[in-house]
Short mmCIF file of all heavy atoms in Angstrom, two decimals:
data_model
loop_
_atom_site.label_atom_id
_atom_site.label_comp_id
_atom_site.label_asym_id
_atom_site.label_seq_id
_atom_site.Cartn_x
_atom_site.Cartn_y
_atom_site.Cartn_z
N MET A 1 -90.12 29.34 -8.34
CA MET A 1 -91.44 29.58 -8.94
C MET A 1 -92.55 28.97 -8.09
O MET A 1 -93.61 29.57 -7.90
CB MET A 1 -91.48 28.98 -10.36
CG MET A 1 -90.67 29.75 -11.38
SD MET A 1 -90.70 28.98 -13.02
CE MET A 1 -92.44 29.12 -13.43
N VAL A 2 -92.31 27.78 -7.56
CA VAL A 2 -93.29 27.12 -6.70
C VAL A 2 -93.49 27.92 -5.42
O VAL A 2 -94.62 28.07 -4.93
CB VAL A 2 -92.86 25.67 -6.38
CG1 VAL A 2 -93.74 25.06 -5.29
CG2 VAL A 2 -92.93 24.81 -7.64
N MET A 3 -92.41 28.46 -4.87
CA MET A 3 -92.52 29.27 -3.66
C MET A 3 -93.38 30.51 -3.91
O MET A 3 -94.12 30.96 -3.02
CB MET A 3 -91.13 29.69 -3.18
CG MET A 3 -90.30 28.54 -2.61
SD MET A 3 -88.61 29.01 -2.15
CE MET A 3 -88.93 30.03 -0.70
N LEU A 4 -93.32 31.04 -5.13
CA LEU A 4 -94.06 32.25 -5.47
C LEU A 4 -95.50 31.96 -5.90
O LEU A 4 -96.41 32.75 -5.62
CB LEU A 4 -93.35 33.01 -6.60
CG LEU A 4 -92.01 33.66 -6.24
CD1 LEU A 4 -91.33 34.20 -7.49
CD2 LEU A 4 -92.22 34.79 -5.22
N THR A 5 -95.72 30.81 -6.59
CA THR A 5 -97.02 30.58 -7.24
C THR A 5 -97.79 29.37 -6.72
O THR A 5 -98.93 29.16 -7.10
CB THR A 5 -96.82 30.41 -8.76
OG1 THR A 5 -95.99 29.25 -9.00
CG2 THR A 5 -96.14 31.63 -9.36
N GLY A 6 -97.18 28.52 -5.89
CA GLY A 6 -97.85 27.32 -5.41
C GLY A 6 -97.52 26.10 -6.25
O GLY A 6 -96.78 26.18 -7.24
N THR A 7 -98.10 24.96 -5.89
CA THR A 7 -97.73 23.67 -6.49
C THR A 7 -98.69 23.17 -7.57
O THR A 7 -98.39 22.20 -8.26
CB THR A 7 -97.66 22.58 -5.40
OG1 THR A 7 -98.97 22.44 -4.81
CG2 THR A 7 -96.66 22.95 -4.32
N ARG A 8 -99.83 23.83 -7.72
CA ARG A 8 -100.88 23.30 -8.59
C ARG A 8 -100.42 23.15 -10.04
O ARG A 8 -100.72 22.16 -10.72
CB ARG A 8 -102.12 24.18 -8.52
CG ARG A 8 -103.36 23.53 -9.11
CD ARG A 8 -104.62 24.28 -8.72
NE ARG A 8 -105.79 23.61 -9.26
CZ ARG A 8 -106.31 23.86 -10.45
NH1 ARG A 8 -105.75 24.77 -11.22
NH2 ARG A 8 -107.38 23.22 -10.87
N TRP A 9 -99.64 24.12 -10.53
CA TRP A 9 -99.21 24.08 -11.93
C TRP A 9 -98.24 22.94 -12.19
O TRP A 9 -98.23 22.36 -13.28
CB TRP A 9 -98.60 25.41 -12.35
CG TRP A 9 -97.31 25.77 -11.65
CD1 TRP A 9 -97.16 26.39 -10.45
CD2 TRP A 9 -95.99 25.50 -12.13
NE1 TRP A 9 -95.84 26.54 -10.14
CE2 TRP A 9 -95.09 26.01 -11.15
CE3 TRP A 9 -95.48 24.90 -13.27
CZ2 TRP A 9 -93.71 25.92 -11.29
CZ3 TRP A 9 -94.10 24.81 -13.43
CH2 TRP A 9 -93.23 25.32 -12.44
N ILE A 10 -97.44 22.60 -11.20
CA ILE A 10 -96.51 21.47 -11.35
C ILE A 10 -97.28 20.17 -11.50
O ILE A 10 -96.99 19.32 -12.35
CB ILE A 10 -95.57 21.38 -10.12
CG1 ILE A 10 -94.45 22.41 -10.25
CG2 ILE A 10 -94.95 20.00 -9.97
CD1 ILE A 10 -93.35 22.03 -11.22
N GLU A 11 -98.29 20.00 -10.65
CA GLU A 11 -99.10 18.78 -10.70
C GLU A 11 -99.91 18.71 -11.99
O GLU A 11 -100.20 17.62 -12.48
CB GLU A 11 -100.02 18.73 -9.47
CG GLU A 11 -99.23 18.60 -8.17
CD GLU A 11 -100.09 18.70 -6.92
OE1 GLU A 11 -100.77 19.73 -6.76
OE2 GLU A 11 -100.07 17.77 -6.12
N LYS A 12 -100.27 19.88 -12.55
CA LYS A 12 -101.00 19.92 -13.83
C LYS A 12 -100.06 19.60 -15.00
O LYS A 12 -100.43 18.90 -15.95
CB LYS A 12 -101.59 21.32 -14.02
CG LYS A 12 -102.61 21.43 -15.15
CD LYS A 12 -103.95 20.85 -14.74
CE LYS A 12 -105.00 21.12 -15.81
NZ LYS A 12 -106.28 20.47 -15.49
N LEU A 13 -98.83 20.12 -14.93
CA LEU A 13 -97.86 19.92 -16.01
C LEU A 13 -97.41 18.46 -16.07
O LEU A 13 -97.19 17.92 -17.17
CB LEU A 13 -96.64 20.81 -15.77
CG LEU A 13 -95.53 20.80 -16.84
CD1 LEU A 13 -96.03 21.45 -18.12
CD2 LEU A 13 -94.29 21.51 -16.33
N MET A 14 -97.28 17.84 -14.89
CA MET A 14 -96.77 16.46 -14.84
C MET A 14 -97.70 15.57 -14.03
O MET A 14 -97.39 15.19 -12.90
CB MET A 14 -95.36 16.44 -14.25
CG MET A 14 -94.34 17.12 -15.12
SD MET A 14 -92.65 16.90 -14.50
CE MET A 14 -92.77 17.81 -12.97
N PRO A 15 -98.85 15.21 -14.60
CA PRO A 15 -99.75 14.28 -13.92
C PRO A 15 -99.12 12.89 -13.88
O PRO A 15 -98.10 12.64 -14.53
CB PRO A 15 -101.00 14.30 -14.81
CG PRO A 15 -100.48 14.65 -16.17
CD PRO A 15 -99.35 15.60 -15.93
N PRO A 16 -99.71 11.96 -13.14
CA PRO A 16 -99.12 10.61 -12.99
C PRO A 16 -98.82 9.89 -14.30
O PRO A 16 -97.85 9.14 -14.38
CB PRO A 16 -100.18 9.87 -12.18
CG PRO A 16 -100.84 10.93 -11.37
CD PRO A 16 -100.87 12.14 -12.26
N VAL A 17 -99.63 10.10 -15.34
CA VAL A 17 -99.37 9.41 -16.60
C VAL A 17 -98.03 9.84 -17.20
O VAL A 17 -97.29 9.04 -17.78
CB VAL A 17 -100.52 9.64 -17.62
CG1 VAL A 17 -100.61 11.11 -18.03
CG2 VAL A 17 -100.33 8.74 -18.83
N VAL A 18 -97.67 11.12 -17.00
CA VAL A 18 -96.40 11.64 -17.51
C VAL A 18 -95.25 11.18 -16.62
O VAL A 18 -94.25 10.66 -17.10
CB VAL A 18 -96.44 13.18 -17.60
CG1 VAL A 18 -95.04 13.74 -17.90
CG2 VAL A 18 -97.42 13.62 -18.66
N THR A 19 -95.37 11.40 -15.31
CA THR A 19 -94.26 11.06 -14.40
C THR A 19 -93.98 9.56 -14.43
O THR A 19 -92.82 9.14 -14.40
CB THR A 19 -94.57 11.50 -12.96
OG1 THR A 19 -95.81 10.95 -12.54
CG2 THR A 19 -94.62 13.01 -12.86
N GLY A 20 -95.04 8.74 -14.50
CA GLY A 20 -94.83 7.29 -14.56
C GLY A 20 -94.07 6.88 -15.80
O GLY A 20 -93.13 6.07 -15.73
N ALA A 21 -94.44 7.45 -16.94
CA ALA A 21 -93.76 7.11 -18.20
C ALA A 21 -92.31 7.57 -18.21
O ALA A 21 -91.41 6.86 -18.65
CB ALA A 21 -94.51 7.74 -19.38
N VAL A 22 -92.06 8.77 -17.69
CA VAL A 22 -90.71 9.32 -17.69
C VAL A 22 -89.79 8.51 -16.77
O VAL A 22 -88.64 8.22 -17.11
CB VAL A 22 -90.72 10.81 -17.26
CG1 VAL A 22 -89.31 11.32 -17.03
CG2 VAL A 22 -91.41 11.65 -18.34
N VAL A 23 -90.30 8.15 -15.59
CA VAL A 23 -89.50 7.32 -14.67
C VAL A 23 -89.21 5.96 -15.33
O VAL A 23 -88.09 5.45 -15.26
CB VAL A 23 -90.24 7.12 -13.33
CG1 VAL A 23 -89.54 6.06 -12.48
CG2 VAL A 23 -90.30 8.44 -12.56
N MET A 24 -90.20 5.39 -15.99
CA MET A 24 -90.03 4.08 -16.62
C MET A 24 -88.94 4.08 -17.68
O MET A 24 -88.14 3.14 -17.78
CB MET A 24 -91.37 3.65 -17.24
CG MET A 24 -91.32 2.27 -17.88
SD MET A 24 -92.94 1.75 -18.50
CE MET A 24 -93.76 1.33 -16.97
N ILE A 25 -88.86 5.13 -18.49
CA ILE A 25 -87.90 5.14 -19.60
C ILE A 25 -86.46 5.29 -19.12
O ILE A 25 -85.52 4.97 -19.87
CB ILE A 25 -88.22 6.23 -20.64
CG1 ILE A 25 -88.14 7.63 -20.01
CG2 ILE A 25 -89.57 5.98 -21.28
CD1 ILE A 25 -88.28 8.77 -20.99
N ILE A 26 -86.25 5.76 -17.91
CA ILE A 26 -84.88 5.86 -17.39
C ILE A 26 -84.27 4.47 -17.35
O ILE A 26 -83.12 4.26 -17.75
CB ILE A 26 -84.87 6.49 -15.98
CG1 ILE A 26 -85.37 7.93 -16.03
CG2 ILE A 26 -83.45 6.47 -15.40
CD1 ILE A 26 -85.56 8.55 -14.66
N GLY A 27 -85.04 3.51 -16.84
CA GLY A 27 -84.56 2.13 -16.78
C GLY A 27 -84.49 1.48 -18.14
O GLY A 27 -83.49 0.83 -18.49
N LEU A 28 -85.52 1.64 -18.95
CA LEU A 28 -85.57 0.99 -20.26
C LEU A 28 -84.50 1.50 -21.21
O LEU A 28 -83.94 0.74 -22.00
CB LEU A 28 -86.96 1.20 -20.88
CG LEU A 28 -88.13 0.49 -20.19
CD1 LEU A 28 -89.45 0.88 -20.85
CD2 LEU A 28 -87.94 -1.03 -20.24
N ASN A 29 -84.21 2.79 -21.14
CA ASN A 29 -83.22 3.38 -22.04
C ASN A 29 -81.83 2.80 -21.81
O ASN A 29 -81.03 2.67 -22.74
CB ASN A 29 -83.19 4.90 -21.83
CG ASN A 29 -82.25 5.61 -22.79
OD1 ASN A 29 -81.10 5.85 -22.45
ND2 ASN A 29 -82.74 5.95 -23.97
N LEU A 30 -81.54 2.42 -20.57
CA LEU A 30 -80.21 1.93 -20.22
C LEU A 30 -80.05 0.42 -20.38
O LEU A 30 -78.92 -0.08 -20.38
CB LEU A 30 -79.89 2.30 -18.77
CG LEU A 30 -79.65 3.79 -18.52
CD1 LEU A 30 -79.75 4.07 -17.03
CD2 LEU A 30 -78.30 4.21 -19.04
#
């Protein structure tokens, strides 16, 4: 999909506030 449409939608779907929180919970959950 990125090859066809570009990267902008990915960066919009997962801004730093989302990616930071998701990465953080990997460690906390375990």
